[in-house]
Amino acid sequence: GVVWKPKEEWLEIPNPNATPAIISQELFDAAQAILKRNKELSTRNAKCQYLLSGYIFCRCGARYQGYLKKWKDNGKPNSQRWYRCGKSQSIASPERCLNRQLHAPKTEQAVWQQIETMLAKPEIVLTALEIRANEANQIEPLQSRLEQIETQLENRQKQKERIWRAFELTGDEGSFKQDIERLAREITSLENEKLELEHKIESHQQYEIDAERIKEACQLFSTNLKGLTYEEKRFALEALQIRVLVDGESLKLEGVISLGEQTIVSSASRLLKPRWQKSPL
């Protein structure tokens, strides 16, 4: 058998290149991202098909999961598909989430109606792709500004050290508080701008892959929108990067192209199950 030595007896090899890498770090990171995404969207071992599995998110950050609710009506067994937060069960999380459950058939119908409306007009999608292409050409100025912000943040940290040293020498508490508060506001502003830039850059870097998948989806669905299979609908959801956000009484739909952020108002009241309701319908 294999027995691990105590950590104190481990021998560290300081040279990071002692064992040459088989593949580049970029390729490794890309493969890990694909494996993670495949795991998130995997539907294997599921007893029923849940169209939105992997695409519904709770306000607590967890994903909604499909489950089969079973009951008996006059001794006759019945069942119905539902979605619930992954942290709604005490066995899954010590802090149980009490967000609403969703009736699966009605939720899937409402969401797909929104997707269908968009895919029925591929010219709108293609126009949005052209806009994204133009935005992607602006990535270099964004990266340049990001580098500037990182340099400014480093300088602010050095300023903080100087302020502390000055306070230790002078003991001027009033000037110290004023300088520290001003510096904290500047750092917060720079960090917020940095996060926004990183998000934009990441979005632009994904453009080429997303564009090809979206064009493929439009071509596939334009001739047979009403007769799509379960797998084809799942492909559309992935291509359009659909996210359904559940926050209490609110059910919102987001997507990468021309969806923006839409609230499914007309259907939300029928899709959200009150926590006290015991009826499966």
Side-chain angles (χ1 to χ4, degrees):
V2 177
V3 179
W4 287 95
K5 284 188 175 182
K7 191 173 183 178
E8 296 75 19
E9 298 182 16
W10 293 4
L11 298 178
E12 180 180 359
I13 302 178
N15 184 1
N17 298 319
T19 304
I22 300 176
I23 60 176
S24 67
Q25 185 65 41
E26 292 77 10
L27 182 58
F28 174 81
D29 293 339
Q32 294 304 307
I34 293 174
L35 290 172
K36 180 176 182 293
R37 186 60 176 162
N38 289 343
K39 182 179 180 181
E40 292 172 347
L41 299 179
S42 174
T43 59
R44 61 180 179 272
N45 299 327
K47 296 180 180 179
C48 301
Q49 290 183 333
Y50 294 91
L51 179 64
L52 301 178
S53 177
Y55 298 98
I56 306 183
F57 295 82
C58 180
R59 62 189 173 192
C60 72
R63 292 176 186 268
Y64 264 59
Q65 300 172 349
Y67 79 101
L68 195 63
K69 180 183 288 292
K70 298 180 180 181
W71 75 99
K72 288 186 178 182
D73 186 4
N74 295 327
K76 182 180 179 181
N78 287 284
S79 62
Q80 185 58 269
R81 295 183 302 115
W82 285 84
Y83 291 104
R84 64 188 175 193
C85 175
K87 292 184 179 180
S88 64
Q89 305 301 299
S90 57
I91 192 173
S93 174
E95 298 181 2
R96 186 176 179 182
C97 178
L98 299 178
N99 204 1
R100 306 286 180 158
Q101 297 185 16
L102 301 176
H103 183 264
K106 291 180 179 179
T107 306
E108 293 166 357
Q109 180 183 6
V111 171
W112 186 252
Q113 283 177 350
Q114 299 283 341
I115 307 300
E116 198 174 70
T117 299
M118 182 181 62
L119 292 177
K121 299 178 180 179
E123 65 278 4
I124 297 179
V125 179
L126 296 178
T127 299
L129 285 176
E130 292 179 2
I131 295 174
R132 288 288 302 274
N134 294 330
E135 292 177 349
N137 294 330
Q138 305 301 320
I139 192 172
E140 186 173 343
L142 295 177
Q143 290 176 330
S144 177
R145 175 57 184 159
L146 181 60
E147 293 175 358
Q148 292 177 1
I149 290 177
E150 290 174 345
T151 300
Q152 291 174 355
L153 285 171
E154 292 177 0
N155 291 335
R156 296 302 188 279
Q157 293 299 326
K158 294 178 181 178
Q159 289 180 26
K160 182 183 290 187
E161 295 175 0
R162 289 196 293 268
I163 292 173
W164 273 100
R165 286 197 296 269
F167 174 64
E168 292 173 354
L169 293 173
T170 65
D172 189 343
E173 186 175 348
S175 297
F176 170 75
K177 288 184 177 180
Q178 184 178 358
D179 293 340
I180 283 294
E181 290 175 357
R182 172 188 55 79
L183 194 62
R185 289 193 297 269
E186 293 177 0
I187 290 175
T188 299
S189 177
L190 288 170
E191 288 178 341
N192 289 338
E193 185 178 357
K194 179 183 176 183
L195 288 174
E196 184 177 354
L197 286 170
E198 289 173 340
H199 177 72
K200 288 182 178 179
I201 291 172
E202 182 180 359
S203 177
H204 293 335
Q205 289 174 337
Q206 292 295 322
Y207 165 72
E208 292 183 0
I209 297 175
D210 295 338
E212 292 303 318
R213 290 178 67 84
I214 293 170
K215 288 178 181 178
E216 184 180 350
C218 288
Q219 294 172 356
L220 175 64
F221 306 145
S222 60
T223 57
N224 188 31
L225 193 57
K226 295 294 183 180
L228 299 179
T229 65
Y230 170 81
E231 289 75 16
E232 290 170 337
K233 288 183 177 180
R234 292 275 297 178
F235 172 75
L237 295 173
E238 176 65 12
L240 298 174
Q241 297 184 17
I242 296 301
R243 287 173 59 94
V244 181
L245 308 178
V246 185
D247 185 3
E249 299 296 336
S250 175
L251 189 65
K252 295 182 179 180
L253 181 64
E254 295 179 352
V256 69
I257 292 294
S258 81
L259 280 171
E261 182 177 305
Q262 300 182 13
T263 301
I264 310 177
V265 178
S266 61
S267 304
S269 61
R270 302 195 306 271
L271 302 179
L272 297 173
K273 173 190 175 186
R275 287 185 289 270
W276 48 262
Q277 184 177 342
K278 295 183 179 180
S279 171
L281 300 177

